[in-house]
Amino acid sequence: AQSVAQPEDQVNVAEGNPLTVKCTYSVSGNPYLFWYVQYPNRGLQFLLKYITGDNLVKGSYGFEAEFNKSQTSFHLKKPSALVSDSALYFCALIAGNNRKLIWGLGTSLAVNP
Amino acid sequence: EAQVTQNPRYLITVTGKKLTVTCSQNMNHEYMSWYRQDPGLGLRQIYYSMNVEVTDKGDVPEGYKVSRKEKRNFPLILESPSPNQTSLYFCASSQGFGQPQHFGDGTRLSIL
Protein backbone atom coordinates (compact mmCIF):
# COMPACT_ATOMS: atom_id res chain seq x y z
CA ALA A 1 0.00 0.00 0.00
CA GLN A 2 1.12 3.51 -0.75
CA SER A 3 1.91 5.69 2.24
CA VAL A 4 3.77 8.77 3.38
CA ALA A 5 5.24 9.22 6.83
CA GLN A 6 6.53 12.34 8.50
CA PRO A 7 8.13 10.82 11.58
CA GLU A 8 8.45 14.04 13.56
CA ASP A 9 5.39 15.97 14.70
CA GLN A 10 7.57 18.92 15.62
CA VAL A 11 11.05 20.14 14.77
CA ASN A 12 12.81 22.92 16.65
CA VAL A 13 15.86 24.68 15.27
CA ALA A 14 17.76 27.85 16.07
CA GLU A 15 17.77 30.67 13.57
CA GLY A 16 20.78 30.42 11.26
CA ASN A 17 21.18 26.68 11.76
CA PRO A 18 20.43 24.17 9.02
CA LEU A 19 17.04 22.52 9.15
CA THR A 20 15.74 19.16 8.01
CA VAL A 21 12.13 18.01 7.90
CA LYS A 22 11.87 14.30 7.25
CA CYS A 23 9.61 12.40 4.89
CA THR A 24 9.65 8.71 4.05
CA TYR A 25 7.39 6.88 1.68
CA SER A 26 6.24 3.46 0.62
CA VAL A 27 5.20 2.88 -2.96
CA SER A 28 5.13 0.37 -5.76
CA GLY A 29 6.32 2.07 -8.89
CA ASN A 30 7.92 5.44 -9.34
CA PRO A 31 6.82 8.17 -6.96
CA TYR A 32 6.04 11.80 -7.59
CA LEU A 33 6.87 13.66 -4.37
CA PHE A 34 5.87 17.11 -3.20
CA TRP A 35 6.48 19.47 -0.31
CA TYR A 36 4.00 22.12 0.75
CA VAL A 37 4.12 24.70 3.53
CA GLN A 38 1.22 26.11 5.53
CA TYR A 39 1.62 29.39 7.38
CA PRO A 40 -0.86 30.26 10.16
CA ASN A 41 -4.36 31.06 8.91
CA ARG A 42 -3.35 30.41 5.32
CA GLY A 43 -3.76 27.68 2.75
CA LEU A 44 -0.94 25.41 1.71
CA GLN A 45 1.72 26.71 -0.65
CA PHE A 46 3.72 24.56 -3.04
CA LEU A 47 7.47 24.43 -2.29
CA LEU A 48 8.95 21.85 -4.64
CA LYS A 49 8.42 18.53 -6.38
CA TYR A 50 10.38 15.53 -7.58
CA ILE A 51 9.25 13.62 -10.63
CA THR A 52 12.40 12.32 -12.24
CA GLY A 53 15.97 13.34 -12.91
CA ASP A 54 18.32 15.02 -10.47
CA ASN A 55 17.86 13.71 -6.95
CA LEU A 56 18.42 17.17 -5.46
CA VAL A 57 15.44 19.41 -6.08
CA LYS A 58 15.51 23.13 -5.41
CA GLY A 59 12.37 25.01 -4.55
CA SER A 60 10.93 28.23 -3.21
CA TYR A 61 12.29 30.31 -0.30
CA GLY A 62 15.71 28.60 -0.38
CA PHE A 63 14.38 25.12 0.37
CA GLU A 64 15.63 21.97 -1.28
CA ALA A 65 14.89 18.28 -0.96
CA GLU A 66 16.85 15.16 -1.71
CA PHE A 67 15.21 12.13 -3.23
CA ASN A 68 16.82 8.94 -1.93
CA LYS A 69 15.41 5.84 -3.59
CA SER A 70 17.33 3.31 -1.49
CA GLN A 71 16.14 4.88 1.76
CA THR A 72 12.72 5.79 0.32
CA SER A 73 13.09 9.28 1.69
CA PHE A 74 12.49 12.83 0.49
CA HIS A 75 13.75 15.07 3.28
CA LEU A 76 13.27 18.83 3.08
CA LYS A 77 16.30 20.94 3.89
CA LYS A 78 17.46 24.51 4.19
CA PRO A 79 21.04 25.57 4.93
CA SER A 80 20.13 28.46 7.24
CA ALA A 81 16.76 28.68 8.97
CA LEU A 82 14.82 31.90 9.38
CA VAL A 83 12.24 32.67 12.06
CA SER A 84 9.80 33.26 9.20
CA ASP A 85 10.21 29.60 8.17
CA SER A 86 8.17 28.61 11.22
CA ALA A 87 5.14 26.85 9.76
CA LEU A 88 3.53 23.47 9.14
CA TYR A 89 5.15 21.38 6.41
CA PHE A 90 3.47 18.62 4.45
CA CYS A 91 4.98 15.92 2.29
CA ALA A 92 2.77 14.33 -0.39
CA LEU A 93 3.06 11.43 -2.81
CA ILE A 94 1.55 10.33 -6.08
CA ALA A 95 2.40 6.72 -6.75
CA GLY A 96 2.90 5.62 -10.32
CA ASN A 97 -0.35 5.10 -12.17
CA ASN A 98 -2.42 5.45 -9.02
CA ARG A 99 -4.31 8.70 -9.52
CA LYS A 100 -4.34 9.55 -5.85
CA LEU A 101 -2.42 12.14 -3.87
CA ILE A 102 -1.40 10.82 -0.47
CA TRP A 103 -0.54 13.33 2.26
CA GLY A 104 1.67 13.07 5.29
CA LEU A 105 0.26 14.33 8.57
CA GLY A 106 2.51 17.34 8.68
CA THR A 107 5.50 18.52 10.71
CA SER A 108 5.43 21.73 12.70
CA LEU A 109 8.69 23.63 12.35
CA ALA A 110 9.61 26.18 14.98
CA VAL A 111 12.64 28.37 14.33
CA ASN A 112 13.79 30.10 17.50
CA PRO A 113 15.51 33.51 17.41
CA GLU B 1 -3.06 37.85 -9.33
CA ALA B 2 -3.46 34.08 -9.53
CA GLN B 3 -5.64 32.93 -6.70
CA VAL B 4 -8.19 30.54 -5.32
CA THR B 5 -10.95 32.33 -3.44
CA GLN B 6 -13.14 30.67 -0.86
CA ASN B 7 -16.18 32.16 0.83
CA PRO B 8 -17.06 32.43 3.59
CA ARG B 9 -13.82 32.33 5.57
CA TYR B 10 -15.65 31.62 8.81
CA LEU B 11 -19.13 30.27 9.49
CA ILE B 12 -20.94 29.15 12.61
CA THR B 13 -24.21 27.41 11.92
CA VAL B 14 -26.57 24.81 13.32
CA THR B 15 -27.18 21.17 12.57
CA GLY B 16 -29.35 20.53 9.53
CA LYS B 17 -29.19 23.99 7.97
CA LYS B 18 -27.97 23.62 4.39
CA LEU B 19 -24.87 25.58 3.51
CA THR B 20 -22.62 26.14 0.52
CA VAL B 21 -18.95 27.07 0.53
CA THR B 22 -17.95 28.67 -2.73
CA CYS B 23 -14.61 28.24 -4.45
CA SER B 24 -13.41 30.12 -7.49
CA GLN B 25 -10.08 30.10 -9.32
CA ASN B 26 -8.82 32.53 -11.95
CA MET B 27 -6.06 30.39 -13.46
CA ASN B 28 -8.13 28.37 -15.95
CA HIS B 29 -7.18 25.22 -14.07
CA GLU B 30 -8.82 21.94 -15.02
CA TYR B 31 -8.33 20.10 -11.72
CA MET B 32 -10.05 21.23 -8.52
CA SER B 33 -10.36 19.59 -5.16
CA TRP B 34 -11.83 20.00 -1.69
CA TYR B 35 -10.04 18.96 1.49
CA ARG B 36 -10.79 19.06 5.16
CA GLN B 37 -8.05 19.51 7.74
CA ASP B 38 -8.48 18.15 11.25
CA PRO B 39 -5.94 17.97 14.10
CA GLY B 40 -4.07 14.68 14.06
CA LEU B 41 -5.65 13.62 10.77
CA GLY B 42 -3.89 15.94 8.35
CA LEU B 43 -5.51 16.71 5.01
CA ARG B 44 -8.24 14.46 3.70
CA GLN B 45 -9.73 14.81 0.26
CA ILE B 46 -13.50 15.14 0.07
CA TYR B 47 -14.19 15.43 -3.66
CA TYR B 48 -12.25 16.32 -6.75
CA SER B 49 -12.99 17.34 -10.31
CA MET B 50 -10.85 16.62 -13.33
CA ASN B 51 -12.80 19.05 -15.52
CA VAL B 52 -16.21 20.61 -16.07
CA GLU B 53 -19.03 18.18 -15.29
CA VAL B 54 -16.50 15.56 -14.10
CA THR B 55 -16.43 14.99 -10.35
CA ASP B 56 -15.43 12.06 -8.19
CA LYS B 57 -15.30 11.05 -4.55
CA GLY B 58 -12.21 11.45 -2.46
CA ASP B 59 -11.51 9.75 0.84
CA VAL B 60 -14.29 11.29 2.95
CA PRO B 61 -17.24 12.22 0.68
CA GLU B 62 -20.07 11.28 3.05
CA GLY B 63 -22.33 14.23 3.84
CA TYR B 64 -20.97 16.44 1.07
CA LYS B 65 -21.92 17.29 -2.49
CA VAL B 66 -20.11 19.20 -5.20
CA SER B 67 -20.80 20.46 -8.69
CA ARG B 68 -18.61 21.72 -11.52
CA LYS B 69 -20.79 23.55 -14.00
CA GLU B 70 -18.10 26.06 -14.91
CA LYS B 71 -14.37 25.64 -15.04
CA ARG B 72 -13.64 28.34 -12.49
CA ASN B 73 -16.15 27.37 -9.78
CA PHE B 74 -16.33 24.31 -7.55
CA PRO B 75 -18.79 24.80 -4.69
CA LEU B 76 -18.98 22.45 -1.71
CA ILE B 77 -22.49 21.76 -0.44
CA LEU B 78 -23.46 20.42 2.96
CA GLU B 79 -27.13 19.51 2.60
CA SER B 80 -27.68 18.63 6.26
CA PRO B 81 -24.59 19.60 8.26
CA SER B 82 -23.73 17.73 11.42
CA PRO B 83 -21.28 18.55 14.23
CA ASN B 84 -18.74 16.00 12.91
CA GLN B 85 -18.35 18.23 9.86
CA THR B 86 -16.88 20.99 12.01
CA SER B 87 -13.50 21.47 10.41
CA LEU B 88 -11.18 23.65 8.36
CA TYR B 89 -11.90 23.30 4.67
CA PHE B 90 -9.60 24.03 1.74
CA CYS B 91 -10.26 24.30 -1.95
CA ALA B 92 -7.36 23.76 -4.33
CA SER B 93 -6.78 23.86 -8.07
CA SER B 94 -4.07 22.83 -10.51
CA GLN B 95 -3.49 22.63 -14.24
CA GLY B 96 -4.01 18.90 -14.06
CA PHE B 97 -3.77 16.02 -11.68
CA GLY B 98 -0.22 15.66 -10.41
CA GLN B 99 0.62 19.31 -10.97
CA PRO B 100 1.32 21.63 -8.02
CA GLN B 101 -1.89 22.75 -6.37
CA HIS B 102 -2.88 26.30 -5.47
CA PHE B 103 -4.88 26.49 -2.26
CA GLY B 104 -7.44 28.93 -0.98
CA ASP B 105 -7.00 30.41 2.48
CA GLY B 106 -9.53 28.08 4.03
CA THR B 107 -13.03 28.13 5.47
CA ARG B 108 -13.48 27.39 9.14
CA LEU B 109 -16.88 25.78 9.70
CA SER B 110 -18.40 25.27 13.13
CA ILE B 111 -21.61 23.26 13.24
CA LEU B 112 -23.44 23.33 16.55
Side-chain angles (χ1 to χ4, degrees), chain A residues 33 48-58 64-69 74:
Chain A
L33 291 155
L48 52 80
K49 68 177 179 181
Y50 171 83
I51 294 178
T52 186
D54 195 345
N55 289 342
L56 185 63
V57 180
K58 294 190 183 297
E64 58 188 29
E66 186 168 10
F67 173 69
N68 188 317
K69 190 171 183 177
F74 189 57

Short mmCIF file of all heavy atoms in Angstrom, two decimals, chain A residues 33 48-58 64-69 74:
data_model
loop_
_atom_site.label_atom_id
_atom_site.label_comp_id
_atom_site.label_asym_id
_atom_site.label_seq_id
_atom_site.Cartn_x
_atom_site.Cartn_y
_atom_site.Cartn_z
N LEU A 33 6.84 13.18 -5.76
CA LEU A 33 6.87 13.66 -4.37
C LEU A 33 6.82 15.17 -4.32
O LEU A 33 7.41 15.85 -5.15
CB LEU A 33 8.15 13.15 -3.69
CG LEU A 33 8.17 11.64 -3.45
CD1 LEU A 33 9.59 11.12 -3.36
CD2 LEU A 33 7.40 11.29 -2.18
N LEU A 48 8.13 22.53 -3.63
CA LEU A 48 8.95 21.85 -4.64
C LEU A 48 8.38 20.47 -4.93
O LEU A 48 7.53 19.98 -4.19
CB LEU A 48 10.41 21.74 -4.17
CG LEU A 48 10.69 21.16 -2.79
CD1 LEU A 48 10.66 19.65 -2.79
CD2 LEU A 48 12.04 21.64 -2.25
N LYS A 49 8.87 19.87 -6.02
CA LYS A 49 8.42 18.53 -6.38
C LYS A 49 9.56 17.76 -7.01
O LYS A 49 10.48 18.34 -7.61
CB LYS A 49 7.24 18.60 -7.35
CG LYS A 49 7.59 19.12 -8.72
CD LYS A 49 6.37 19.09 -9.65
CE LYS A 49 6.75 19.65 -11.03
NZ LYS A 49 5.57 19.66 -11.95
N TYR A 50 9.48 16.44 -6.88
CA TYR A 50 10.38 15.53 -7.58
C TYR A 50 9.53 14.62 -8.45
O TYR A 50 8.58 13.99 -7.97
CB TYR A 50 11.19 14.67 -6.59
CG TYR A 50 11.95 13.59 -7.28
CD1 TYR A 50 13.19 13.84 -7.86
CD2 TYR A 50 11.42 12.30 -7.42
CE1 TYR A 50 13.88 12.85 -8.54
CE2 TYR A 50 12.10 11.31 -8.09
CZ TYR A 50 13.32 11.60 -8.65
OH TYR A 50 14.00 10.61 -9.33
N ILE A 51 9.92 14.56 -9.73
CA ILE A 51 9.25 13.62 -10.63
C ILE A 51 10.28 12.64 -11.17
O ILE A 51 10.10 11.42 -11.08
CB ILE A 51 8.52 14.36 -11.78
CG1 ILE A 51 7.38 15.18 -11.17
CG2 ILE A 51 7.99 13.38 -12.81
CD1 ILE A 51 6.61 16.00 -12.19
N THR A 52 11.34 13.17 -11.73
CA THR A 52 12.40 12.32 -12.24
C THR A 52 13.64 13.18 -12.39
O THR A 52 13.58 14.40 -12.28
CB THR A 52 11.99 11.67 -13.57
OG1 THR A 52 12.99 10.73 -13.96
CG2 THR A 52 11.86 12.72 -14.67
N GLY A 53 14.78 12.55 -12.65
CA GLY A 53 15.97 13.34 -12.91
C GLY A 53 16.83 13.53 -11.68
O GLY A 53 16.97 12.63 -10.85
N ASP A 54 17.39 14.72 -11.55
CA ASP A 54 18.32 15.02 -10.47
C ASP A 54 17.68 14.77 -9.11
O ASP A 54 16.57 15.22 -8.84
CB ASP A 54 18.75 16.49 -10.58
CG ASP A 54 19.97 16.80 -9.74
OD1 ASP A 54 20.32 15.98 -8.86
OD2 ASP A 54 20.58 17.85 -9.95
N ASN A 55 18.41 14.06 -8.26
CA ASN A 55 17.86 13.71 -6.95
C ASN A 55 17.74 14.90 -6.01
O ASN A 55 17.01 14.85 -5.03
CB ASN A 55 18.72 12.63 -6.28
CG ASN A 55 18.57 11.29 -6.98
OD1 ASN A 55 17.62 11.07 -7.72
ND2 ASN A 55 19.51 10.40 -6.73
N LEU A 56 18.48 15.97 -6.29
CA LEU A 56 18.42 17.17 -5.46
C LEU A 56 17.51 18.18 -6.15
O LEU A 56 17.82 18.63 -7.25
CB LEU A 56 19.81 17.75 -5.23
CG LEU A 56 19.87 18.95 -4.28
CD1 LEU A 56 19.42 18.54 -2.88
CD2 LEU A 56 21.27 19.53 -4.25
N VAL A 57 16.43 18.50 -5.50
CA VAL A 57 15.44 19.41 -6.08
C VAL A 57 15.47 20.72 -5.32
O VAL A 57 15.42 20.73 -4.09
CB VAL A 57 14.03 18.79 -5.98
CG1 VAL A 57 13.01 19.73 -6.58
CG2 VAL A 57 13.98 17.44 -6.65
N LYS A 58 15.54 21.82 -6.05
CA LYS A 58 15.51 23.13 -5.41
C LYS A 58 14.12 23.75 -5.56
O LYS A 58 13.48 23.59 -6.61
CB LYS A 58 16.58 24.04 -6.02
CG LYS A 58 17.99 23.55 -5.73
CD LYS A 58 19.03 24.55 -6.13
CE LYS A 58 20.44 24.02 -5.90
NZ LYS A 58 20.70 23.77 -4.46
N GLU A 64 15.29 23.02 -0.35
CA GLU A 64 15.63 21.97 -1.28
C GLU A 64 15.28 20.63 -0.64
O GLU A 64 15.06 20.55 0.57
CB GLU A 64 17.11 22.01 -1.65
CG GLU A 64 18.06 21.90 -0.48
CD GLU A 64 19.50 22.15 -0.89
OE1 GLU A 64 19.77 22.90 -1.85
OE2 GLU A 64 20.38 21.58 -0.21
N ALA A 65 15.19 19.62 -1.47
CA ALA A 65 14.89 18.28 -0.96
C ALA A 65 15.68 17.27 -1.75
O ALA A 65 15.94 17.45 -2.95
CB ALA A 65 13.39 17.99 -1.07
N GLU A 66 16.05 16.20 -1.07
CA GLU A 66 16.85 15.16 -1.71
C GLU A 66 16.05 13.87 -1.79
O GLU A 66 15.61 13.33 -0.76
CB GLU A 66 18.14 14.92 -0.94
CG GLU A 66 19.07 13.93 -1.65
CD GLU A 66 20.45 13.90 -1.06
OE1 GLU A 66 20.66 14.49 0.02
OE2 GLU A 66 21.33 13.28 -1.67
N PHE A 67 15.88 13.39 -3.00
CA PHE A 67 15.21 12.13 -3.23
C PHE A 67 16.23 11.01 -3.05
O PHE A 67 17.26 10.99 -3.72
CB PHE A 67 14.62 12.10 -4.64
CG PHE A 67 14.04 10.77 -5.03
CD1 PHE A 67 12.89 10.29 -4.43
CD2 PHE A 67 14.64 9.99 -6.01
CE1 PHE A 67 12.35 9.06 -4.78
CE2 PHE A 67 14.11 8.76 -6.38
CZ PHE A 67 12.96 8.30 -5.77
N ASN A 68 15.93 10.07 -2.17
CA ASN A 68 16.82 8.94 -1.93
C ASN A 68 16.01 7.66 -2.11
O ASN A 68 15.22 7.27 -1.25
CB ASN A 68 17.41 9.02 -0.52
CG ASN A 68 18.49 7.98 -0.29
OD1 ASN A 68 18.34 6.82 -0.68
ND2 ASN A 68 19.57 8.38 0.35
N LYS A 69 16.22 7.01 -3.26
CA LYS A 69 15.41 5.84 -3.59
C LYS A 69 15.71 4.66 -2.66
O LYS A 69 14.80 3.95 -2.25
CB LYS A 69 15.63 5.44 -5.05
CG LYS A 69 14.66 4.38 -5.55
CD LYS A 69 14.79 4.19 -7.05
CE LYS A 69 13.76 3.19 -7.53
NZ LYS A 69 13.81 3.01 -9.00
N PHE A 74 12.54 11.56 1.25
CA PHE A 74 12.49 12.83 0.49
C PHE A 74 12.51 13.94 1.52
O PHE A 74 11.54 14.66 1.71
CB PHE A 74 11.24 12.87 -0.39
CG PHE A 74 11.19 14.01 -1.36
CD1 PHE A 74 12.20 14.20 -2.28
CD2 PHE A 74 10.11 14.89 -1.37
CE1 PHE A 74 12.15 15.24 -3.20
CE2 PHE A 74 10.04 15.94 -2.29
CZ PHE A 74 11.06 16.11 -3.20
#
